[in-house]
Amino acid sequence: MAYWLKMVGASDDRLENRWIDANPELLHEVRSPWRPSGIKRNDRLVYYAAGEQCLFAIARSTEDGEECQEVPKKGEERWPWLLHVQVGLAIPTLKQAPHWGVLGIE
């Protein structure tokens, strides 16, 4: 099992503070700009909110990244690859989430 820091959103497309209300799909799927072929089933993904620089959820991949499909969605053209996940820990508001610096990595 490996761990991945998964950026969600972008500096010009930030998540809302109450991200679960605004983006409930993140509880079972996450998008990527490219096929996440390095991710394997049961790998852990630590969700990182771009722009807010905080860690707000931990998910488990329920499929190999090699198996994920390109599923275009209006408004999500930058992230066409869809990976199915299961969130095991979620901080409901970004304001409550810890800064990514707690990881101790540069």
Side-chain angles (χ1 to χ4, degrees):
M1 175 176 49
Y3 293 86
W4 301 85
L5 186 60
K6 175 61 181 106
M7 185 169 61
V8 180
S11 61
D12 64 344
D13 188 13
R14 293 182 176 199
L15 287 175
E16 292 185 29
N17 179 50
R18 298 182 62 81
W19 65 273
I20 296 173
D21 293 338
N23 301 93
E25 71 278 0
L26 290 174
L27 296 173
H28 57 87
E29 63 187 39
V30 68
R31 293 182 164 275
S32 177
W34 55 84
R35 179 176 283 176
S37 58
I39 296 175
K40 304 296 181 203
R41 184 181 312 272
N42 293 319
D43 280 358
R44 300 301 191 254
L45 287 79
V46 178
Y47 284 9
Y48 166 74
E52 303 301 325
Q53 298 184 345
C54 64
L55 308 172
F56 65 97
I58 299 175
R60 176 183 68 85
S61 176
T62 59
E63 65 183 335
D64 288 339
E66 282 289 331
E67 298 171 359
C68 82
Q69 300 295 313
E70 190 172 9
V71 182
K73 180 180 175 186
K74 185 169 176 67
E76 300 285 342
E77 292 85 3
R78 292 163 62 179
W79 304 281
W81 295 95
L82 188 66
L83 181 71
H84 292 96
V85 299
Q86 178 183 33
V87 169
L89 173 74
I91 299 171
T93 65
L94 298 181
K95 289 181 181 177
Q96 294 175 311
H99 186 271
W100 76 278
V102 300
L103 294 176
I105 56 176
E106 295 187 28

